[in-house]
Amino acid sequence: MLYLWIKAFHIVSIVCWFAGLFYLPRLFVYHAQSEDTVSKERFSVMERKLYRGIMGPAMVATLIFGGWLIYLNPSIFHAGAWIHAKLTLVVLLIGYHHMCGAQVKRFARGENTRSHVFYRWFNEVPVLILLAIVILVVVKPF
């Protein structure tokens, strides 16, 4: 029963984390398009609060609950290569998360050098990772 509670909280944490991972790069798009100081400052505040207040705690909770699930069921590593592929994607997602954090700081300092078009493409990365992770976990193709 404990395992199912932890799994439920893991899924809720994932949803919260991905909500931020989907929305923050969209804010970058709008921030890169903004030209007035008031808008730029407003976007910087929104980005910082989203990154620190929602994304960071959600990522930590996702990793804690995911690690706890593995601790309770270490035999999952013998279930197939899908779990190794999934964990590799999670590591990449953590890297993407930190890239977003670095970009939040660049925008706050007024040092952004990328266009809104770049951020439109950058925004698609977590979608692809989520798609791959869900397929790996549900289908377990290998």
Side-chain angles (χ1 to χ4, degrees), residues 7-58:
K7 187 186 259 186
F9 286 120
H10 180 61
I11 292 168
V12 169
S13 300
I14 291 167
V15 170
C16 294
W17 188 21
F18 269 96
L21 289 170
F22 291 155
Y23 188 51
L24 185 62
R26 177 48 66 185
L27 288 176
F28 293 161
V29 170
Y30 301 140
H31 197 156
Q33 288 178 317
S34 66
E35 297 178 8
D36 60 293
T37 305
V38 173
S39 294
K40 290 180 182 187
E41 289 174 2
R42 182 179 303 121
F43 283 120
S44 286
V45 169
M46 291 170 67
E47 291 158 358
R48 186 186 77 247
K49 287 183 176 185
L50 177 60
Y51 186 76
R52 291 185 185 167
I54 296 172
M55 291 172 62

Side-chain angles (χ1 to χ4, degrees), residues 8 31 46 57 71 76 80-81 85 89-90 100 111 117 119 123 132 135-136:
H31 197 156
M46 291 170 67
Y71 173 77
I76 196 163
L89 290 172
V90 170
C100 286
E111 298 173 356
V117 175
Y119 294 113
N123 193 32
I135 289 170
L136 286 168

Side-chain angles (χ1 to χ4, degrees), residues 96-108:
Y96 180 85
H97 175 99
H98 289 293
M99 287 174 63
C100 286
Q103 193 57 48
V104 167
K105 291 176 185 175
R106 276 191 215 88
F107 270 118

